[in-house]
């Protein structure tokens, strides 16, 4: 082709236009946007978790006990937590021989345990924001467990000391001669005896002795109730008002510690206005939960109405409970010993100084001289126990403890055991069969409350918490690394997008060039 003719030609040159790949560009823009946003999120989260630990945020949030959170529901609804109540009654096997003086010691035989399930409910919850406390009502009730009991156990007949008669006699020991004569007269009129033969069910729930019925007719003021069944008495007033601390104001150390019980800072029955000892329940816990972030120096203070006092539990060792590691706190053997300062010892006894190892519960028992001890008197050798035989102490089976998750203060396994006894002083002015019980401690029964394990869903939640705690030191750096990688991807896609946006020179085919 002549170059001159080509220059003089007016015909426009049509060059092939390079088509843009729109779908490819849209995809690139999406990748750039997403990776950029994710990188910013990762960096922000990494910086946040570098400053704040996730597990500490969880524990701080639990302090507030927000009602829609799982840990609040765990505490309020305990229907899934199995707490068994086992009661061991002491049956007298030589009552007649002992009364006749043929045997020097009263022989006691432990009856196989009667097993119930205890249900605990928390109702009427009120938050007091002005002082960061919470008030609620506790309700406890027992349900018999047939599958865990010997068939027909409640119908078994036992022989036990007539606690209503002996208790009144002990309480009236310091009264005048005429008062005692009146009691002897009522006792004679009733036709009752110092030992009662009854079924286990009646002993637990329906103890109505002839002496009580007669006394209630003659002097009703002396007999507050005509039914002194031991479990009926313990659970007759099953609603209690509690006020506890919560929130960041008190922190982990005072979380859920009691301020008051039945609107008072003291054990029910102790009245400061009447000059009673200050038997404090403050800083104690009912056992549903304990303070958070526990360590080996922490002291748990456990309150149980049936014990009529708060007792301290001290760290013993770390133990495994399933997949979790808990701290075991135990009740020391000297918990019921007399204090050096007798004035501060609220449980030394109303009717004479009690021995070491005994704690007075008469304030919770209509002023009847009931005392609590360790089951079977383990770790103690009471001088007033020489008139009885049949005790078989075994600390491993009879001590009290709480195995607690150290972070949340949730009990993984806990067991409260105590023995109830009637402490008889030197008796004078009564009939011979009553005086036979002078200066004795009479075992009635011992009881065990055992929460053996937690529901699986709570255990799994605690496991997840500890997994987070294990990885949280590395979490910020993982997020920083993710930030760098995502940002690298974003820059690479942006660079590719920029290059792709430029128009590259077209390549002509031989046919296209011949048509020019």
């Amino acid at each position: 082709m002549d170059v001159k003719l080509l220059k003089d030609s007016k015909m426009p040159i049509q060059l092939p236009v390079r088509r843009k790949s729109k779908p490819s560009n849209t995809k690139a823009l999406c990748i750039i946007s997403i990776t950029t946003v994710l990188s910013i999120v990762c960096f922000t989260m990494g910086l946040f978790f570098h400053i704040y630990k996730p597990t500490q945020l969880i524990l701080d949030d639990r302090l507030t006990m927000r009602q829609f959170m799982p840990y609040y529901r765990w505490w309020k609804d305990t229907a899934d937590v199995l707490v068994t109540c086992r009661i061991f009654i002491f049956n007298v096997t030589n009552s007649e021989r002992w009364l006749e003086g043929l045997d020097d010691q009263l022989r006691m035989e432990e009856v196989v345990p009667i097993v119930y399930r205890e249900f605990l409910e928390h109702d009427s919850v009120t938050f007091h924001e002005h002082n960061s406390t919470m008030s609620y009502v506790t309700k406890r009730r027992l349900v018999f467990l047939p599958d865990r009991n010997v068939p027909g156990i409640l119908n078994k007949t036992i022989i036990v000391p007539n606690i209503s008669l002996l208790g009144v006699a002990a309480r009236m020991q310091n009264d005048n001669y005429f008062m005692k004569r009146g009691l002897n007269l009522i006792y004679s009129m009733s036709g009752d005896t110092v030992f009662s033969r009854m079924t286990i069910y009646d002993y637990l729930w329906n103890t109505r002795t002839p002496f009580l019925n007669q006394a209630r007719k003659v002097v009703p003021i002396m007999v507050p109730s005509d039914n002194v069944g031991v479990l009926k008495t313990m659970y007759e007033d099953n609603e209690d008002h509690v006020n506890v601390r919560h929130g960041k104001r008190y922190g982990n150390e005072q979380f859920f510690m009691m301020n008051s019980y039945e609107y008072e800072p003291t054990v029910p029955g102790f009245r400061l206005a009447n000059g009673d000892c200050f038997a404090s329940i403050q800083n104690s816990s009912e056992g549903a939960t304990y303070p958070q972030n526990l360590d080996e120096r922490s002291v748990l203070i456990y309150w149980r109405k049936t014990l009529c006092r708060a007792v301290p539990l001290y760290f013993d060792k770390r133990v495994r409970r399933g997949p979790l590691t808990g701290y075991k706190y135990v009740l020391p053997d000297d918990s019921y010993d007399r204090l050096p300062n007798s004035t501060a010892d609220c449980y030394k006894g109303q009717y004479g100084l009690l021995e070491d190892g005994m704690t007075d519960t008469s304030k919770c028992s209509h002023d009847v001289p009931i005392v609590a001890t360790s089951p079977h008197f383990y770790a103690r050798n009471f001088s007033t126990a020489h008139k009885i035989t049949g005790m078989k102490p075994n600390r491993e089976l009879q001590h009290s403890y709480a195995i607690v998750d150290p972070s949340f203060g949730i009990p993984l396994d806990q067991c409260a055991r105590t023995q109830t006894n009637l402490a008889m002083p030197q008796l004078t002015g009564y009939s011979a069969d009553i005086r036979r019980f002078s200066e004795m401690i009479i075992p009635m029964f011992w009881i065990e409350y055992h929460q053996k394990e937690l529901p699986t869903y709570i255990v799994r939640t605690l496991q997840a918490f500890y997994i987070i705690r294990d990885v949280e030191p590395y979490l910020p750096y993982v997020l920083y690394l993710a930030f760098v990688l995502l940002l690298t991807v974003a820059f690479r896609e942006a660079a590719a997008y920029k290059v792709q946006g430029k128009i590259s020179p077209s390549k002509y085919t031989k046919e296209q060039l011949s048509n020019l």
Side-chain angles (χ1 to χ4, degrees), residues 256-318:
F256 247 71
M257 285 186 172
M258 284 189 188
N259 285 320
S260 64
Y261 188 85
E262 286 299 297
Y263 309 107
E264 297 288 343
T266 54
V267 174
F270 287 84
R271 296 288 181 266
L272 300 181
N274 298 338
D276 291 339
C277 180
F278 185 73
S280 176
I281 54 87
Q282 292 182 323
N283 301 327
S284 63
S285 167
E286 65 172 341
T289 188
Y290 296 97
Q292 298 186 153
N293 280 347
L294 300 171
D295 57 34
E296 298 180 5
R297 297 168 298 175
S298 301
V299 179
L300 308 183
I301 303 178
Y302 174 74
W303 156 255
R304 183 78 195 193
K305 183 179 178 180
T306 53
L307 184 58
C308 199
R309 68 175 294 175
V311 292
L313 304 176
Y314 295 91
F315 178 82
D316 180 41
K317 59 184 177 181
R318 301 185 183 193

Side-chain angles (χ1 to χ4, degrees), residues 422-439:
L422 183 62
M424 301 297 293
Q426 176 66 44
L427 298 174
T428 59
Y430 297 116
S431 61
D433 53 351
I434 295 178
R435 293 200 309 271
R436 187 86 167 93
F437 291 88
S438 288
E439 296 183 297

Side-chain angles (χ1 to χ4, degrees), residues 287-500:
T289 188
Y290 296 97
Q292 298 186 153
N293 280 347
L294 300 171
D295 57 34
E296 298 180 5
R297 297 168 298 175
S298 301
V299 179
L300 308 183
I301 303 178
Y302 174 74
W303 156 255
R304 183 78 195 193
K305 183 179 178 180
T306 53
L307 184 58
C308 199
R309 68 175 294 175
V311 292
L313 304 176
Y314 295 91
F315 178 82
D316 180 41
K317 59 184 177 181
R318 301 185 183 193
V319 296
R320 292 288 295 180
R321 279 297 177 269
L324 301 172
T325 298
Y327 286 8
K328 184 177 182 179
Y329 297 84
V330 299
L331 181 70
D333 294 341
D334 62 355
S335 297
Y336 301 155
D337 288 357
R338 303 282 63 82
L339 300 178
N341 180 4
S342 179
T343 305
D345 191 348
C346 300
Y347 310 101
K348 59 187 176 184
Q350 288 195 82
Y351 306 98
L353 187 66
L354 296 176
E355 298 181 62
D356 284 345
M358 299 183 184
T359 179
D360 180 26
T361 66
S362 60
K363 289 289 187 180
C364 303
S365 309
H366 304 295
D367 288 328
V368 174
I370 301 293
V371 301
T373 64
S374 56
H376 287 263
F377 306 144
Y378 81 79
R380 285 294 177 268
N381 185 18
F382 301 125
S383 63
T384 51
H386 70 280
K387 291 185 178 181
I388 64 170
T389 185
M391 299 295 100
K392 299 177 181 179
N394 185 328
R395 188 180 190 281
E396 189 61 30
L397 299 177
Q398 297 159 357
H399 78 293
S400 298
Y401 65 86
I403 299 174
V404 184
D405 175 79
S407 296
F408 284 89
I410 296 175
L412 308 176
D413 174 3
Q414 61 181 342
C415 196
R417 299 171 172 130
T418 185
Q419 182 167 306
T420 298
N421 315 268
L422 183 62
M424 301 297 293
Q426 176 66 44
L427 298 174
T428 59
Y430 297 116
S431 61
D433 53 351
I434 295 178
R435 293 200 309 271
R436 187 86 167 93
F437 291 88
S438 288
E439 296 183 297
M440 282 184 67
I441 180 169
I442 306 172
M444 297 168 57
F445 62 90
W446 71 274
I447 195 167
E448 172 195 271
Y449 293 98
H450 193 186
Q451 176 215 312
K452 191 174 183 180
E453 58 188 6
L454 287 174
T456 303
Y457 62 87
I458 298 181
V459 174
R460 293 288 180 262
T461 306
L462 295 179
Q463 275 186 285
F465 173 85
Y466 286 109
I467 292 173
I468 295 173
R469 190 188 66 175
D470 291 340
V471 303
E472 69 182 2
Y474 313 102
L475 186 59
Y477 304 103
V478 172
L479 291 169
Y480 291 151
L481 179 61
F483 161 73
V484 173
L485 293 176
L486 288 168
L487 208 58
T488 301
V489 172
F491 279 128
R492 188 191 67 181
E493 290 294 325
Y497 176 74
K498 185 176 181 181
V499 170
Q500 190 178 9

